[in-house]
Amino acid sequence: MQRALVLAAILTGCGDNTPSNPVTLASGDATLVLAADRDSLTLARGGTTLLTFAPETFQAGTVDDLDAGDSFDPYYLFVADPPAPPNGLAWHHGNRFALVSASDSELVVSVDALRVTFHPSSAPGGFDAVLTSSAARTAYLRLGPDAGASEAFYGLGEWADAIDHRGQLRPMQMELDQNSESMDDENHVPVPLLIGTAGWGLFVESKRPGAFDVARQSATRVDIAFGTGADSPAGLAFHLFSADQPLDVLGSYYAIAGAPGLPAPWALGPLLWRDENANQAQVLDDIDQIRTRHLAASGVWFDRPYATGVETFDWNPAKFSDPTSMLHALHDAGLRYAIWQAPYTAGSSNADPAQPELDYATAHGYFPPTTAVLLNGWGKPLDFTNAGAYAWWQSQLRTYTDTYGVEGFKLDYAEDVVVGLLGRRTPWAFSDGSDELTMHYGYQLLYHQVHREVMPAAGGFLLTRTGRWGDQVHGMIVWPGDLDASFAQQGDPLPGSALGAVGGLPAALAKGLSLSASGFPFYASDTAGYRHSPASKECWIRWVEANAVWPAMNIGDASSEQPWEFTADNGRDAEALADYAQYTLLHLRLYPYVWTYAQQIATTGRPIVRPLGLAYPELGVNPQDEYLLGDSILAAPIVTEGATSRTVVLPAGTWLGWWDGQPYSATITATADLDTLPLYIAAGGIVPMLRDTIETLAPVATGSSIDSFATDAGVLWVRVAPSTAPTQLGVYDGTLLQQQPRQVTYAPGSVFTEGALFEVIATPAAPAQVTDGATPLAQQASLAALQAAGSGWFYDPTATGGTLWIEVASAATVVFQ
């Protein structure tokens, strides 16, 4: 029937506007339908309309002169009080589609001077498309689908003000913002991927400047424009996705843009840093403080300045008299290490005027032939399109990786290359012939790639301030730049200033959630902020709590004060340090759970952290301070100063309090004193964790008493929230965990081979007996006695609604009656 409809359409309507039969192109459960009267193109799935394109929303913008100095940044098409548009700007569009050709594998339509070609994607449920214009001097290409009037819109990269983009204008490049303290829109990771909660996605595969005007003109219209400029003859490539669940749109996006790489496992442990290390003695004391206090930590990084200059590829002897022994001490203590980097070389920062690296790079032409305004204080960025410069930079990096064992990099700055200012170009030229109109995108990928290639193939630590679509393959952890050390929302008035705040803790959560919905699953904001550090004790603790339940966790700010350093400015005390110890330990213990979901991204496409509204669109809410970690954990941090309660919206079913084991459902008011993060586990949830004495994920020195996962994986602790329905979880190493009413199962994999300790919460009474098959397990007098015995059970009536502890040393299915 489908083929007959297509052939009929070709015979009766091809190439003109004559009303005819509808034409359908299929991809799995999705269809793209050209209406019989040629007045619409509709994306549908399972009979449900997802997007509708009207003919007039495909447009080409032409100008008098493509070389007149305009950046063709389409952001300025949408802003209030825009600068003067390019001379002669005119828009070309029509009011009816014409069918050009159709088959089972292609649908081509035209409207005015535009042509749109669609093909089914290799991943079922989607379509690949190219919009082209035959109009001379085309500078912009534009499309504008209509979506649901009430659905929410996710993706589009890193945003601090809202994770639902309805009513927002989102540029796909950094823009000037003269109302912000940072003087830019803090858009460090733009991603031209929009996801609707009805189950669709639209990805524009372009390196050129773009903008998404999301349901500002009407409740349904998404207006998308890209300044294609001289690249216009190649057209604008875009992709339509569909899925039963909006979370699953990301898998289709990864099929085109690349699946996320994984950082090294140790990089997911708590990592500490000072904005400036005083000297080697201070670093050694930090090691001692971390380990004598038994604080959970897997690594540190050295922020600027640790060298004699900016990228002089050395260690400043005035600070670090013996860096080799210092770094060995870090490794011995189970602390991996990384260093700050930026793509400049500014010479010596001490009294010596020599600048050998800068002189060498200059003499060899390793900087871009043409540079515009520099947004850093050190000079020109290296030209990574120059093969010689690329190789030289990597050879310099290997001074650190090969000689000193550096295993990661914090990559700062590198945002000098922008598409222009107020619609006009600020010209750059690179050795490969590219310019700023594409290198605002490409420079970031090269900057990250040149560092990723010198790290271990199995993963390292790459903490980046920036990112672009496709960049996720480098396995980076994104940090959101310099946020405020406060509870400020983005744009809040700064005390004593006419400028607005960059944003504090609320902005940190919004940025992380929007990144997670945009294909960047690894994120870690500074604890607690950076600008105007240090944060208050309250803000610091609330930030620690929130960061504990993200895949990665970094601890440090501009004050250079470590968690155990109590000052009048930071207000921290023994209580604050105890809270810090509790939540960093929780973060470290969750490693098997988080790494399991990290490994699943390659097959499911689903992020580790999930905005509530994207994971459960049927709830009709889109909070930017509530999220899921995997399938089974829900967190709702307190992000308002002075608050000790908040509203929490729970998905369908029963959720148990992480701390008290009490059942909750629907919408609740959670109470949370300063020590408490509102945290919940779904009934039926299975959460594998490391033991409660763990201190690091990294190896330690032989004979050390530091409790290291890399040295000994140990017994796998498993928190179980019982339910009437059977559930299971396959851990990343192949360990299989199952629960069903009054029964738990452990089948070891390749890492967790030493047994399992089940923590079955919300168990109101002690069982009469616990058996492994036909063999009764011995009841123990305490949890400590159970651990010492290595097998058996213990019931604690006071913990998490009554907790049944069961330990087995090998594969077992345990029944408790």
Side-chain angles (χ1 to χ4, degrees), residues 272-279 282-283 286 300-307 319-320 339-340 378 410 412-413 465 479 481-482 526-527 529-534 554-562 565:
L272 291 86
W273 61 284
R274 292 181 185 267
D275 199 44
E276 182 171 349
N277 288 105
N279 50 44
Q282 184 186 59
V283 175
D286 286 348
V300 302
W301 73 75
F302 293 86
D303 217 281
R304 182 181 67 87
Y306 57 88
K319 286 189 173 187
F320 307 110
I339 56 174
W340 178 92
W378 302 300
K410 175 184 179 179
D412 207 349
Y413 287 86
R465 177 190 181 99
W479 108 95
D482 300 339
D526 295 336
T527 308
Y530 186 87
R531 296 174 184 269
H532 316 295
S533 296
N554 94 63
I555 299 99
D557 61 23
S559 73
S560 294
E561 295 167 357
Q562 295 286 27
E565 294 176 333

Side-chain angles (χ1 to χ4, degrees), residues 486-487 505-506 508-509 525-528 535-550 553 576 579-580 583 627 636-646 659 670-678:
S486 71
F487 289 99
L505 177 55
L509 294 185
S525 65
D526 295 336
T527 308
S536 67
K537 172 187 171 182
E538 178 191 5
C539 183
W540 189 76
I541 290 175
R542 290 302 193 192
W543 213 311
V544 167
E545 292 169 359
N547 282 0
V549 282
W550 284 87
M553 187 177 192
D579 288 341
Y580 170 83
Y583 283 100
Y627 49 92
I638 302 290
V639 299
T640 304
E641 187 172 14
T644 55
S645 66
R646 61 157 295 164
W659 311 110
T671 58
D673 58 25
L674 185 56
D675 300 333
T676 303
L677 166 70

Side-chain angles (χ1 to χ4, degrees), residues 448-461:
H448 301 154
Q449 176 183 300
V450 73
H451 290 85
R452 179 65 188 88
E453 288 176 349
V454 301
M455 294 192 300
F461 173 64

